Amino acid sequence: MSAHDHAGHDHAHGGAAHGSLKGYLTGFFLSVILTAIPFWMVMTGAVDNKQATAIIIMAFAAVQIVVHMVFFLHMNPASEGGWSMLALIFTVILVVIVLSGSLWVMYHLNANMMPGLHEMREMP
Amino acid sequence: MASTAITAGAEPVFHLEEEHAHAEGGSTMLGFWLYLMSDCLIFAMLFAAYGVLGGNYAAGPAPKDLFDLGLVAVNTTMLLLSSITYGFAMLTMDKGRVAATQGWLAVTMLFGLAFLSIELYEFAHLIHEGATPQRSAFLSSFFTLVGTHGLHVTFGIVWMVTLMVQVARHGLIEANRRRLMCLSMFWHFLDVVWIGVFTFVYLMGMLR
């Protein structure tokens, strides 16, 4: 094992980063803002276009998840010698495959398998 | 591999000499993080199921008829407040102040209980209106996804009570600090999942 690995290991053992009061408060205020804006947008219908609203609130959710990861879960590339970050990246890839794959396949299945009126009439 | 030479009078050595000692619980944080990632995959499955089935109302009620965004906003606030108070508990734990840590844990637990009560009230209201899990695929997947999250919060609260008893009996010893850090990750992780729930289920549901 190299000296570098040892250094990373010692860091993980010797009191993991718990964050500071400032970090927690920053995360909290960012989360409040990032939560309040999507709720306000949907409850008041501030943006007329539903598609645009959906995209904007999804972007807010993505940013808020990153905020929580950094300020509350104290994720950083160095924690646990990089293994937590690696596990996180792997999980994110799987989640993206599962979600986009399911939605994509099932959408097309619905579109192709639904017998239209025209086809129904030709059925014996 | 280094060969193992057994000489008279010396204990045989069966491990690599450069293998260093691991402190007890040194790998707990990483192991618990891996558990959280696998939990994340469970929620990904449930989100995928909701994404696929969420539009199948079976001529029953749609999100617009059922959801009360005001209630969801209050619920979200409760969970967010419980996240920051747990953060304060961790900060006081670092300073070794037992009473303050217990206090913040109790506050966190109250916010968690408030969240659960509101969710149960919402579920009872839905079921009373006839929007039961059996009504449509949309409602089945809705109750499974949101119910699984609620179940996680319930077990988080059970865990929190257990740790408060542990801290009361043994103080902030190394093992208890480690357990509190695991619960901290669990609790904040549930808040992350809730961001997905209120965005994809409630807010997007109202847009549909």
Side-chain angles (χ1 to χ4, degrees):
Chain A
M1 210 180 256
S2 70
H4 175 77
D5 280 348
H6 271 291
H9 218 85
D10 287 345
H11 175 73
H13 279 298
H18 294 180
S20 57
L21 182 63
K22 198 177 156 223
Y24 276 113
L25 288 177
T26 312
F28 179 69
F29 284 119
L30 283 176
S31 310
V32 168
I33 294 165
L34 291 167
T35 306
I37 292 175
F39 268 97
W40 170 77
M41 280 182 72
V42 174
M43 285 168 98
T44 61
V47 178
D48 231 7
N49 188 342
K50 284 187 176 180
Q51 193 104 39
T53 313
I55 291 170
I56 293 171
I57 63 173
M58 277 206 283
F60 270 105
V63 174
Q64 198 182 344
I65 286 173
V66 173
V67 166
H68 276 243
M69 286 279 174
V70 172
F71 290 103
F72 291 160
L73 284 164
H74 313 302
M75 268 314 282
N76 63 65
S79 62
E80 301 288 344
W83 288 107
S84 346
M85 189 54 114
L86 197 70
L88 177 65
I89 292 169
F90 179 61
T91 311
V92 168
I93 291 172
L94 284 185
V95 168
V96 168
I97 292 173
V98 166
L99 284 179
S100 59
S102 304
L103 294 175
W104 182 49
V105 169
M106 293 310 284
Y107 173 78
H108 281 272
L109 209 58
N110 272 341
N112 293 332
M113 299 294 278
M114 199 73 79
L117 258 179
H118 176 68
E119 295 155 66
M120 292 272 269
R121 233 177 282 140
E122 283 173 9
M123 274 179 194
Chain B
M1 268 304 159
S3 63
T4 318
I6 302 175
T7 49
E11 284 290 313
V13 178
F14 293 112
H15 57 79
L16 291 176
E17 281 182 43
E18 58 264 51
E19 182 70 55
H20 56 282
H22 287 272
E24 191 200 336
S27 50
T28 308
M29 287 302 131
L30 180 58
F32 194 75
W33 180 252
L34 293 182
Y35 154 70
L36 285 183
M37 291 298 99
S38 68
D39 219 14
C40 192
L41 293 182
I42 293 180
F43 280 107
M45 304 293 159
L46 295 176
F47 272 111
Y50 181 81
V52 169
L53 300 172
N56 303 355
Y57 308 132
K64 252 199 170 99
D65 313 319
L66 296 175
F67 296 159
D68 177 4
L69 274 193
L71 204 62
V72 180
V74 175
N75 226 355
T76 307
T77 314
M78 290 300 144
L79 211 54
L80 206 52
L81 283 171
S82 81
S83 251
I84 184 79
T85 55
Y86 202 107
F88 292 153
M90 294 303 284
L91 291 175
T92 47
M93 183 195 84
D94 278 349
K95 291 183 186 130
R97 291 160 56 194
V98 178
T101 308
Q102 295 279 53
W104 283 119
L105 284 178
V107 173
T108 309
M109 195 184 69
L110 287 180
F111 280 128
L113 283 174
F115 171 84
L116 269 186
S117 314
I118 295 170
E119 191 163 285
L120 285 177
Y121 166 78
E122 188 200 12
F123 280 7
H125 185 66
L126 290 183
I127 289 167
H128 183 71
E129 282 187 339
T132 58
Q134 300 97 310
R135 183 64 191 83
S136 63
F138 150 63
L139 283 165
S140 303
S141 52
F142 166 79
F143 275 103
T144 313
L145 172 57
V146 182
T148 305
H149 179 270
L151 213 55
H152 274 76
V153 175
T154 312
F155 280 106
I157 290 172
V158 171
W159 191 1
M160 210 174 287
V161 174
T162 315
L163 282 188
M164 283 168 75
V165 173
Q166 286 278 339
V167 171
R169 291 183 66 174
H170 304 291
L172 288 170
I173 55 173
E174 192 54 37
N176 279 344
R177 283 170 191 263
R178 194 170 66 231
R179 291 165 188 151
L180 282 170
M181 275 163 67
C182 281
L183 180 56
S184 159
M185 287 160 81
F186 185 73
W187 199 256
H188 292 310
F189 168 75
L190 289 183
D191 208 5
V192 171
V193 174
W194 184 253
I195 298 170
V197 172
F198 80 70
T199 303
F200 288 104
V201 176
Y202 290 103
L203 293 180
M204 305 267 279
M206 294 303 269
L207 288 175
R208 219 174 264 186

